[in-house]
Amino acid sequence: MDQLTYAKKVLSDIGMPKQQQSDLCALTLLALCDIKDHESFSDASNNWIRIHDIIQFVNTNYASSYAENSRETFRKQAMHHFRNAALIEDNGLATNSPNYRYRLTPEFLAVIKKMGKRGYNKAVKLFLSSHESLKSKYASKKAMPMLPVRINNKDYHLSPGSHNLLQKDILEKFAPRFAPNSECLYLGDTTQKDLVKDEKKMEELGFDITLHDKMPDVVLYRADKDWLYFIEAVDSVGPMSPERIIDIQRMTKQVECGKIFVTAFPDFKKYKRFSEQIAWETEVWIAEMPDHMIHLNGDKFLGPR
């Protein structure tokens, strides 16, 4: 058997659903093992790896042609199910972190290393005999305290992480000071992309909802001023750059409300790191100094005090 067939066999032998015995899932497994064509499974490893690296690996070593924008497909069809079955674990960082990675669990790696050799069936039986306890073990690693936050008079819980902590600060510290009585039209959690998404209201205001993947982290609407606040929460990537402004303007070209573009940072140190990337005619808010704003607006605020 070739390596792809072997990978499908082990996924079948441990009882993964048919959908998770596909070419994509088998290739994902080979990338996680770092096994190229004609290499021995006894040399498999469980080094930390990103989905980007998985795509590059299978395209380079197995003549695949997956595009970079197929990362979500890999995440939903393979990684999500592999993790639920205790085949893999993640490193506990926020999913939007550039350092977010996966690896095979040591228990499943032991099965992989026996592939095609004496003792394989015994290794599969051993894995299956402890499967439920393994699922509980690795699930407990993900069971971290959630971040409670009240949005539009409803209680929500954000997944843990520094990015979501900053989003919580935006709602609880920025909004009361600079967008009083506003409603949240959109908020993307690091694990649930569209945690809050008021499509009806956005369509009423003129949003092109088909471009929602260009949405910033938080969108607030202040009815008394007819203002929209587009806010990027920057922990590791993504300030309100000129490119982001163009994306948002394209998505809201039919919107007649006043538009305010804000980049939020947890502290001044992080702001300095990204300051050269931020577009003019936008605002900066820093959570550690919540009462103040930095206006990159030229002569709009020029004059005596």
Side-chain angles (χ1 to χ4, degrees), residues 7 10-11 25-34 82 104 108 112:
V10 71
L11 292 172
C25 291
L27 289 168
T28 299
L29 180 56
L30 290 168
L32 286 159
C33 299
D34 193 20
F82 285 6
L104 295 175
F108 188 54
I112 294 295

Side-chain angles (χ1 to χ4, degrees), residues 196-219:
V196 176
K197 186 179 180 183
D198 190 341
E199 288 195 13
K200 181 179 179 181
K201 184 66 176 180
M202 286 191 286
E203 287 177 348
E204 287 177 4
L205 293 173
F207 279 69
D208 185 345
I209 301 299
T210 62
L211 298 175
H212 76 276
D213 60 323
K214 302 294 185 182
M215 203 77 74
D217 293 310
V218 182
V219 178

Side-chain angles (χ1 to χ4, degrees), residues 157-222:
H157 288 84
L158 302 177
S159 52
S162 54
H163 182 268
N164 276 347
L165 184 60
L166 179 55
Q167 294 199 130
K168 178 178 168 71
D169 284 339
I170 290 169
L171 296 168
E172 296 180 346
K173 298 178 181 179
F174 170 85
R177 289 170 169 84
F178 300 103
N181 302 313
S182 60
E183 59 181 309
C184 181
L185 301 186
Y186 180 87
L187 184 138
D189 181 67
T190 50
T191 58
Q192 185 178 341
K193 187 172 182 181
D194 300 336
L195 181 66
V196 176
K197 186 179 180 183
D198 190 341
E199 288 195 13
K200 181 179 179 181
K201 184 66 176 180
M202 286 191 286
E203 287 177 348
E204 287 177 4
L205 293 173
F207 279 69
D208 185 345
I209 301 299
T210 62
L211 298 175
H212 76 276
D213 60 323
K214 302 294 185 182
M215 203 77 74
D217 293 310
V218 182
V219 178
L220 304 176
Y221 176 61
R222 182 175 173 181

Side-chain angles (χ1 to χ4, degrees), residues 3-274:
Q3 308 301 58
L4 187 64
T5 304
Y6 271 123
K8 290 182 178 181
K9 173 175 169 54
V10 71
L11 292 172
S12 173
D13 289 345
I14 63 169
M16 293 299 289
K18 277 289 184 184
Q19 297 90 327
Q20 276 65 58
Q21 299 175 33
S22 65
D23 283 356
L24 182 145
C25 291
L27 289 168
T28 299
L29 180 56
L30 290 168
L32 286 159
C33 299
D34 193 20
I35 292 295
K36 304 178 181 67
D37 198 17
H38 305 304
E39 290 186 342
S40 172
F41 280 95
S42 61
D43 295 326
S45 65
N46 67 337
N47 297 321
W48 292 106
I49 189 171
R50 302 171 298 169
I51 292 180
H52 165 79
D53 303 320
I54 290 172
I55 294 172
Q56 293 295 313
F57 182 93
V58 301
N59 286 348
T60 300
N61 297 292
Y62 287 94
S64 300
S65 57
Y66 292 101
E68 186 63 27
N69 62 9
S70 62
R71 283 178 294 179
E72 194 63 22
T73 302
F74 277 80
R75 183 176 291 110
K76 289 181 177 179
Q77 293 187 17
M79 313 311 285
H80 174 75
H81 298 278
F82 285 6
R83 187 168 57 181
N84 285 345
L87 308 188
I88 63 173
E89 60 178 329
D90 63 55
N91 61 1
L93 299 180
T95 54
N96 68 336
S97 168
N99 294 315
Y100 185 75
R101 286 168 165 78
Y102 304 89
R103 71 175 179 184
L104 295 175
T105 62
E107 294 84 359
F108 188 54
L109 179 63
V111 177
I112 294 295
K113 283 180 170 291
K114 291 291 186 180
M115 177 65 71
K117 298 183 181 301
R118 181 181 298 176
Y120 168 73
N121 290 334
K122 182 178 179 180
V124 169
K125 289 180 180 179
L126 179 62
F127 181 82
L128 292 176
S129 69
S130 58
H131 192 217
E132 291 305 316
S133 60
L134 288 175
K135 288 198 292 185
S136 298
K137 172 185 174 180
Y138 288 103
S140 67
K141 288 189 174 184
K142 297 181 290 178
M144 297 189 293
M146 303 294 280
L147 299 172
V149 63
R150 193 160 180 80
I151 306 173
N152 301 337
N153 296 316
K154 294 182 180 179
D155 291 321
Y156 290 83
H157 288 84
L158 302 177
S159 52
S162 54
H163 182 268
N164 276 347
L165 184 60
L166 179 55
Q167 294 199 130
K168 178 178 168 71
D169 284 339
I170 290 169
L171 296 168
E172 296 180 346
K173 298 178 181 179
F174 170 85
R177 289 170 169 84
F178 300 103
N181 302 313
S182 60
E183 59 181 309
C184 181
L185 301 186
Y186 180 87
L187 184 138
D189 181 67
T190 50
T191 58
Q192 185 178 341
K193 187 172 182 181
D194 300 336
L195 181 66
V196 176
K197 186 179 180 183
D198 190 341
E199 288 195 13
K200 181 179 179 181
K201 184 66 176 180
M202 286 191 286
E203 287 177 348
E204 287 177 4
L205 293 173
F207 279 69
D208 185 345
I209 301 299
T210 62
L211 298 175
H212 76 276
D213 60 323
K214 302 294 185 182
M215 203 77 74
D217 293 310
V218 182
V219 178
L220 304 176
Y221 176 61
R222 182 175 173 181
D224 62 330
K225 297 281 191 179
D226 197 28
W227 287 354
L228 279 164
Y229 299 74
F230 299 97
I231 308 169
E232 292 285 18
V234 177
D235 178 56
S236 58
V237 292
M240 194 61 78
S241 64
E243 294 80 11
R244 291 296 290 123
I245 300 291
I246 292 171
D247 287 338
I248 296 169
Q249 293 284 26
R250 185 180 298 119
M251 181 177 59
T252 60
K253 61 184 178 181
Q254 303 299 326
V255 174
E256 298 180 356
C257 309
K259 300 172 187 176
I260 300 170
F261 302 95
V262 182
T263 306
F265 295 96
D267 51 52
F268 199 80
K269 180 179 179 181
K270 190 65 65 73
Y271 159 65
K272 289 194 294 182
R273 176 180 160 192
F274 289 91

Side-chain angles (χ1 to χ4, degrees), residues 290-304:
D291 294 324
H292 304 283
M293 293 272 284
I294 298 173
H295 305 277
L296 303 179
N297 285 28
D299 62 2
K300 183 176 179 180
F301 295 96
L302 183 64

